[in-house]
Amino acid sequence: MITVHHLVHSRSQRIIWLCEEIGADYEIVTYQRDPITNLAPPELEQIHPLGKSPVITDGDQTIIESGAIIDYLLRHYGHGQLSPAVGSVEHEHYLQWLHYGESGAILPLMLKLYTSKLPDGGATLKPRISDELGRHLGYVEQSLEGVDWLVANRFSGADIQLSFVAEITPLLYSLDDLPNLAAFRDRCQNRPAYRRALANAEPYAYGPKI
Ligand SMILES: N[C@@H](CCC(=O)N[C@@H](CS)C(=O)NCC(=O)O)C(=O)O
């Protein structure tokens, strides 16, 4: 049985959604954030020393990192769904997006989030971060031009991975300038499996405003 160790209002919402998409048999163990620091509770370190979410356990396997978890779940439980065939050009694109969602794309967003908490708003770093943010969000926006989904215009694990970027961008950057990303987020959030995941877990701050 797959156990999704789910920190509220976090990237692990994506993993619950993925389990719903593929009809996997899973259970959720929920962890609350510290009300002052917003960090994960120490109990999560008993599952994995980093104490981050998502983390899944499956038999004697413990796996961290959203991209690795998506890859693992699709290989073991996906029955060929949501991932292009290994060896195809589409699979190369899929891997690129799967990694990009938690590396290139997320970094400027996290930098902006953290520096905005500094007393001077991270003044010296601000121009560089803004430049990187515009560059990466611009790339995503352009990649979604005229398509619904990132890889061969078919919904895949890569879309689930990038959904978190789409969901937290409005905290830091106006989605008015990113209509393709806004529409992508809405498409993700309107999938029946996404809605089932919402219903199965605790309230999610970055979910649809309904
Ligand atoms: N790149 C990792 C990021 C993991 C991560 O930083 N998760 C955040 C939640 S979105 C977390 O656990 N924060 C709580 C903490 O740092 O204490 C992944 O995609 O799994």
Side-chain angles (χ1 to χ4, degrees):
M1 158 85 86
I2 302 157
T3 302
V4 181
H5 296 273
H6 173 55
L7 178 66
V8 295
H9 311 305
S10 87
R11 290 161 166 95
S12 47
Q13 188 71 36
R14 280 186 298 206
I15 304 305
I16 301 170
W17 173 25
L18 173 63
C19 287
E20 288 293 332
E21 288 282 353
I22 61 177
D25 194 14
Y26 73 102
E27 63 174 7
I28 303 171
V29 177
T30 302
Y31 300 80
Q32 300 296 332
R33 289 177 180 269
D34 182 290
I36 295 166
T37 64
N38 209 34
L39 293 176
E43 296 84 70
L44 210 41
E45 288 173 22
Q46 285 161 22
I47 311 301
H48 186 279
L50 283 176
K52 301 282 179 192
S53 172
V55 54
I56 63 160
T57 48
D58 184 21
D60 55 8
Q61 296 268 21
T62 300
I63 302 175
I64 58 160
E65 281 298 329
S66 315
I69 294 170
I70 291 171
D71 184 40
Y72 174 89
L73 291 176
L74 289 181
R75 274 187 293 109
H76 290 270
Y77 299 100
H79 306 289
Q81 303 169 80
L82 307 193
S83 166
V86 176
S88 64
V89 174
E90 288 78 14
H91 191 253
E92 306 303 342
H93 292 167
Y94 165 78
L95 288 179
Q96 177 213 280
W97 283 109
L98 196 58
H99 288 274
Y100 182 69
E102 274 297 328
S103 54
I106 204 86
L107 182 63
L109 287 164
M110 289 295 141
L111 286 173
K112 179 147 187 185
L113 190 67
Y114 290 145
T115 53
S116 68
K117 296 184 194 305
L118 295 171
D120 69 346
T124 51
L125 286 169
K126 226 175 181 166
R128 181 68 203 274
I129 293 171
S130 295
D131 187 52
E132 285 294 298
L133 201 54
R135 180 180 297 259
H136 283 279
L137 292 177
Y139 170 63
V140 174
E141 180 69 9
Q142 193 185 19
S143 302
L144 286 167
E145 182 65 37
V147 294
D148 285 349
W149 307 113
L150 291 163
V151 182
N153 205 10
R154 277 196 294 274
F155 180 69
S156 75
D159 298 299
I160 293 179
Q161 178 77 320
L162 203 84
S163 67
F164 189 69
V165 167
E167 290 185 329
I168 64 161
T169 292
L171 303 180
L172 305 155
Y173 200 98
S174 172
L175 276 193
D176 293 347
D177 300 330
L178 302 166
N180 295 337
L181 187 63
F184 170 79
R185 179 202 53 186
D186 295 348
R187 271 191 297 279
C188 289
Q189 294 183 338
N190 284 327
R191 289 185 69 86
Y194 182 104
R195 296 295 173 136
R196 287 198 299 276
L198 274 186
N200 285 356
E202 296 225 356
Y204 176 51
Y206 312 122
K209 303 291 170 263
I210 41 169

Short mmCIF file of all heavy atoms in Angstrom, two decimals, residues 7 10-11 14 33 39-40 52-54 65-66 102, ligand 1:
data_model
loop_
_atom_site.label_atom_id
_atom_site.label_comp_id
_atom_site.label_asym_id
_atom_site.label_seq_id
_atom_site.Cartn_x
_atom_site.Cartn_y
_atom_site.Cartn_z
N LEU A 7 2.05 16.92 3.92
CA LEU A 7 2.11 18.15 4.70
C LEU A 7 1.04 19.08 4.15
O LEU A 7 0.98 19.29 2.92
CB LEU A 7 3.50 18.78 4.57
CG LEU A 7 3.74 20.11 5.28
CD1 LEU A 7 3.68 19.93 6.80
CD2 LEU A 7 5.10 20.69 4.87
N SER A 10 0.92 21.96 0.65
CA SER A 10 2.27 21.70 0.14
C SER A 10 2.24 20.93 -1.17
O SER A 10 1.18 20.52 -1.66
CB SER A 10 3.09 20.92 1.18
OG SER A 10 2.87 19.53 1.02
N ARG A 11 3.44 20.71 -1.68
CA ARG A 11 3.62 19.97 -2.93
C ARG A 11 3.05 18.56 -2.89
O ARG A 11 2.86 17.96 -3.94
CB ARG A 11 5.12 19.87 -3.23
CG ARG A 11 5.82 21.16 -3.63
CD ARG A 11 7.30 20.94 -3.40
NE ARG A 11 8.17 21.92 -4.01
CZ ARG A 11 8.65 22.97 -3.37
NH1 ARG A 11 8.28 23.22 -2.12
NH2 ARG A 11 9.49 23.79 -3.98
N ARG A 14 -0.04 17.38 -4.93
CA ARG A 14 0.15 16.85 -6.30
C ARG A 14 0.18 15.32 -6.32
O ARG A 14 -0.23 14.69 -7.28
CB ARG A 14 1.52 17.31 -6.85
CG ARG A 14 1.59 18.66 -7.38
CD ARG A 14 2.94 18.90 -8.01
NE ARG A 14 4.05 18.80 -7.07
CZ ARG A 14 5.21 19.41 -7.22
NH1 ARG A 14 5.43 20.17 -8.28
NH2 ARG A 14 6.18 19.28 -6.36
N ARG A 33 1.57 22.03 9.68
CA ARG A 33 2.72 22.93 9.74
C ARG A 33 2.78 23.61 11.11
O ARG A 33 1.75 23.82 11.74
CB ARG A 33 2.61 24.01 8.65
CG ARG A 33 2.83 23.47 7.24
CD ARG A 33 2.63 24.56 6.23
NE ARG A 33 2.83 24.12 4.86
CZ ARG A 33 3.99 24.16 4.21
NH1 ARG A 33 5.06 24.65 4.81
NH2 ARG A 33 4.07 23.75 2.96
N LEU A 39 6.95 25.61 9.15
CA LEU A 39 7.76 24.45 8.76
C LEU A 39 7.01 23.15 9.08
O LEU A 39 6.02 23.15 9.81
CB LEU A 39 9.11 24.47 9.48
CG LEU A 39 10.04 25.61 9.07
CD1 LEU A 39 11.30 25.60 9.93
CD2 LEU A 39 10.40 25.55 7.58
N ALA A 40 7.54 22.05 8.52
CA ALA A 40 6.97 20.73 8.78
C ALA A 40 7.26 20.33 10.23
O ALA A 40 8.27 20.76 10.80
CB ALA A 40 7.58 19.71 7.82
N LYS A 52 10.92 16.66 4.70
CA LYS A 52 10.18 17.45 3.70
C LYS A 52 9.02 16.65 3.14
O LYS A 52 8.99 15.42 3.23
CB LYS A 52 11.12 17.81 2.53
CG LYS A 52 12.34 18.61 2.92
CD LYS A 52 12.01 20.05 3.14
CE LYS A 52 13.24 20.83 3.56
NZ LYS A 52 12.90 22.17 4.04
N SER A 53 8.13 17.34 2.51
CA SER A 53 6.99 16.72 1.88
C SER A 53 6.95 17.15 0.41
O SER A 53 7.24 18.32 0.12
CB SER A 53 5.73 17.19 2.61
OG SER A 53 4.59 16.76 1.95
N PRO A 54 6.63 16.28 -0.53
CA PRO A 54 6.12 14.93 -0.32
C PRO A 54 7.21 13.92 -0.02
O PRO A 54 8.35 14.05 -0.44
CB PRO A 54 5.46 14.59 -1.66
CG PRO A 54 6.23 15.37 -2.68
CD PRO A 54 6.62 16.64 -1.98
N GLU A 65 11.22 13.65 -3.13
CA GLU A 65 11.28 14.47 -4.33
C GLU A 65 10.09 14.18 -5.26
O GLU A 65 9.95 13.09 -5.81
CB GLU A 65 12.59 14.30 -5.12
CG GLU A 65 13.76 15.06 -4.53
CD GLU A 65 13.54 16.59 -4.51
OE1 GLU A 65 12.85 17.11 -5.39
OE2 GLU A 65 14.06 17.24 -3.60
N SER A 66 9.29 15.22 -5.46
CA SER A 66 8.07 15.08 -6.27
C SER A 66 8.33 14.38 -7.61
O SER A 66 7.56 13.50 -8.00
CB SER A 66 7.47 16.45 -6.59
OG SER A 66 7.45 17.27 -5.48
N GLU A 102 10.75 21.24 -10.77
CA GLU A 102 11.30 21.40 -9.42
C GLU A 102 12.76 21.87 -9.44
O GLU A 102 13.45 21.76 -8.44
CB GLU A 102 11.20 20.09 -8.63
CG GLU A 102 9.87 19.90 -7.94
CD GLU A 102 9.55 20.94 -6.86
OE1 GLU A 102 10.47 21.45 -6.20
OE2 GLU A 102 8.35 21.26 -6.68
N1 LIG B 1 11.99 19.60 -4.35
C1 LIG B 1 11.23 19.01 -3.28
C2 LIG B 1 10.77 20.12 -2.35
C3 LIG B 1 10.25 19.59 -1.03
C4 LIG B 1 9.84 20.74 -0.12
O1 LIG B 1 10.58 21.71 0.09
N2 LIG B 1 8.61 20.67 0.41
C5 LIG B 1 8.10 21.69 1.29
C6 LIG B 1 6.58 21.78 1.14
S1 LIG B 1 6.01 22.44 -0.37
C7 LIG B 1 8.33 21.34 2.73
O2 LIG B 1 8.40 20.17 3.08
N3 LIG B 1 8.36 22.36 3.60
C8 LIG B 1 8.38 22.21 5.02
C9 LIG B 1 9.72 22.44 5.64
O3 LIG B 1 10.67 22.80 4.94
O4 LIG B 1 9.81 22.26 6.86
C10 LIG B 1 10.07 18.20 -3.88
O5 LIG B 1 9.61 18.57 -4.95
O6 LIG B 1 9.63 17.21 -3.29
#
